Amino acid sequence: MNVHWLNGYRPGYGLPRDFYINAEIFAEEQERIFRNNWFFAGHSIELPKSGDYMTLTVGAAPVVVVRDRDGKVHAHHNVCRHRGSIICTKEKGKATRLVCPYHSWSYAHDGQLIGAPMMGEDFDKAEHGLKRVHAEEFDGLIFVNLSDTPSPFHELRDHLSPILKSQGMNRAKIALIRDYELDLNWKLVVENNRECYHCEANHHGYVSVQYDTENDNPDLTDEISERLADCAIRWEKAGLDTARVNTSSDYTAEWFRANRTPVRKGMVTESPDGQLVCDVLMAGFLDPDMGTARANTNINFWCHANSDYAHTVRITPVSPTKTIVRGYWLVDQNAVEGRDYDPEKVAAFHDEVMSEDWEICRRQWIGITSPGFQPGPYSPLKEQNVDRYVRWYARQMGA
Ligand code: FES
Ligand SMILES: [Fe+2]
């Protein structure tokens, strides 16, 4: 990689303009970032049965994720070993075998080539299975990794699972999926997600429910201590992990974090008025005051899970200047639409937060792509996590 790009980066500051618009840097990211990190692919409940598959794009690579007859999830490059056609053409489907639409080579769920008509006697099917992509599934989440030697997944699972397993995302159903197509670089979305410096000025709904802006409001200190003490008792009773109960969003590891945080006094969930938006609680919770389980991972995932619904996000970079953000909203599998919940009401809170964020990012995009842009310093009090993310990114890119 042309090092002068990284030479323009100063730790503690934002990235230079080229990192957001340059096609060569985007191509380099495919190799250094998207080939080497765990990418959130989607939810286990999207593939409930044998043969259910979903397709996605990881950087430049089309990938198919499929569940086999034993319930195991496999991921493969969605690229035929004959002449390279993509095999599964739909975003979701069901297939007893994966059949290439070009010349009908067919593959088992585990990627083995099982049918290749008219290839002659010397042709060795065993040599032409689908190229493997590493896949891991835990607590209702599926992650994939394109690397031949991926970083150990258990680090992530061991850390997130104590917080997320009690949310029951593997016994949930999808209330709503919404795709947001943004004409800007994917890193602006991640960077925006990693700080709440902007919340007080831009997310009035969000800060009326969460305590993220506690530093701006010293008069909340007593209330927060009270809530933390009360919730610690409730959550212990509910069998939740209470080791990481706090209102801070400090990172506990290099490329992921998780915690559980109380919502404001008198409120029980992230909704416009802080009251339940689904009458059936997730995971068999009896007490609705379970706060919000939050997690995020580099490179493309975050989650806010409440007692009545969970919201997760998958970021897919399409080009230097185009990004698709998918929002998922999950409710318990026994909740009935129309009786227990209205999908639009379940989505309302985070849909509003995201719409506000996209407007922030859009305005930033105009400035960042202009010749007048010069990266400024991060706040040491409010932007530690975005600074940390950008430093991580620079290291991945070879700084
Ligand atoms: S390209 Fe797939 S069968 Fe020919
Ligand atoms: Fe935001």
Side-chain angles (χ1 to χ4, degrees):
M1 175 173 179
N2 196 331
V3 289
H4 81 263
W5 289 326
L6 274 165
N7 287 346
Y9 164 63
R10 195 169 156 195
Y13 284 66
L15 292 165
R17 176 175 174 245
D18 269 352
F19 281 87
Y20 298 97
I21 54 174
N22 186 303
E24 281 178 67
I25 294 185
F26 187 78
E28 194 71 26
E29 287 175 348
Q30 308 313 308
E31 287 305 310
R32 291 176 180 262
I33 307 273
F34 293 97
R35 269 193 80 82
N36 284 312
N37 286 286
W38 289 98
F39 187 95
F40 174 59
H43 287 280
S44 305
I45 52 172
E46 295 180 87
L47 310 176
K49 300 227 169 76
S50 164
D52 289 340
Y53 69 82
M54 60 181 167
T55 59
L56 64 147
T57 308
V58 182
V63 167
V64 56
V65 183
V66 60
R67 194 177 296 284
D68 73 13
R69 267 201 285 188
D70 300 324
K72 184 173 159 41
V73 159
H74 302 266
H76 313 287
H77 285 274
N78 185 16
V79 177
C80 183
R81 290 295 310 280
H82 179 220
R83 282 169 55 198
S85 171
I86 58 163
I87 299 161
C88 299
T89 55
K90 293 187 294 186
E91 197 189 322
K92 266 180 203 164
K94 188 176 192 64
T96 45
R97 43 172 68 185
L98 308 177
V99 182
C100 178
Y102 201 167
H103 314 94
S104 305
W105 282 25
S106 60
Y107 301 88
H109 296 148
D110 66 3
Q112 283 185 64
L113 179 64
I114 47 179
M118 316 296 277
M119 287 303 294
E121 281 185 1
D122 295 340
F123 176 68
D124 184 1
K125 289 213 266 301
E127 291 284 302
H128 294 87
L130 292 177
K131 287 253 167 88
R132 180 183 179 200
V133 172
H134 289 267
E136 293 279 355
E137 180 178 31
F138 79 104
D139 300 330
L141 306 174
I142 297 171
F143 286 81
V144 297
N145 193 315
L146 299 178
S147 170
D148 294 333
T149 51
S151 60
F153 188 76
H154 72 87
E155 290 177 7
L156 177 74
R157 189 180 44 226
D158 293 352
H159 191 84
L160 264 59
S161 193
I163 302 280
L164 294 185
K165 72 170 183 285
S166 45
Q167 281 299 141
M169 283 195 272
N170 48 10
R171 44 168 283 191
K173 65 180 188 183
I174 290 176
L176 193 73
I177 290 179
R178 185 161 284 161
D179 284 333
Y180 303 85
E181 290 193 24
L182 309 178
D183 291 320
L184 44 81
N185 186 274
W186 65 279
K187 293 188 291 300
L188 291 191
V189 175
V190 182
E191 290 164 20
N192 173 269
N193 171 254
R194 301 299 157 89
E195 50 91 358
C196 218
Y197 192 20
H198 68 273
C199 292
E200 190 79 19
N202 293 279
H203 296 312
H204 298 131
Y206 182 82
V207 301
S208 70
V209 173
Q210 289 285 6
Y211 285 121
D212 296 62
T213 53
E214 58 179 312
N215 299 347
D216 309 303
N217 300 295
D219 43 322
L220 281 177
T221 311
D222 289 347
E223 181 181 316
I224 292 172
S225 320
E226 230 177 82
R227 280 293 279 151
L228 283 169
D230 177 46
C231 288
I233 297 166
R234 284 169 184 276
W235 298 350
E236 203 160 324
K237 211 162 130 194
L240 302 185
D241 176 279
T242 50
R244 283 186 293 271
V245 169
N246 54 57
T247 56
S248 108
S249 49
D250 278 354
Y251 269 63
T252 36
E254 170 86 320
W255 55 282
F256 49 82
R257 59 165 290 271
N259 72 331
R260 184 175 289 275
T261 189
V263 291
R264 288 203 180 212
K265 197 172 168 182
M267 300 185 172
V268 291
T269 189
E270 293 180 303
S271 70
D273 64 359
Q275 304 310 313
L276 297 179
V277 285
C278 181
D279 290 338
V280 177
L281 299 183
M282 294 189 82
F285 284 139
L286 299 171
D287 180 350
D289 196 1
M290 295 291 106
T292 308
R294 303 184 195 177
N296 63 41
T297 69
N298 297 354
I299 39 189
N300 76 325
F301 169 77
W302 76 76
C303 155
H304 273 226
N306 298 282
S307 63
D308 57 342
Y309 78 95
H311 167 57
T312 60
V313 166
R314 178 181 88 184
I315 301 167
T316 300
V318 177
S319 76
T321 62
K322 193 173 169 73
T323 303
I324 297 177
V325 183
R326 169 161 287 192
Y328 301 81
W329 285 267
L330 276 54
V331 294
D332 190 80
Q333 62 187 3
N334 295 321
V336 177
E337 184 178 340
R339 184 191 73 186
D340 302 311
Y341 72 95
D342 167 353
E344 291 297 333
K345 287 192 176 146
V346 171
F349 182 87
H350 280 288
D351 183 59
E352 180 180 53
V353 172
M354 287 200 283
S355 305
E356 290 160 350
D357 279 329
W358 310 155
E359 178 56 18
I360 293 168
C361 291
R362 192 189 66 78
R363 294 194 293 251
Q364 184 189 16
W365 179 246
I366 297 169
I368 230 168
T369 54
S370 89
F373 172 63
Q374 182 180 346
Y378 290 125
S379 159
L381 300 175
K382 303 287 281 186
E383 291 176 301
Q384 305 94 316
N385 286 337
V386 61
D387 183 25
R388 207 162 163 163
Y389 166 72
V390 169
R391 286 173 196 253
W392 172 89
Y393 170 88
R395 278 197 302 280
Q396 298 277 307
M397 293 294 278

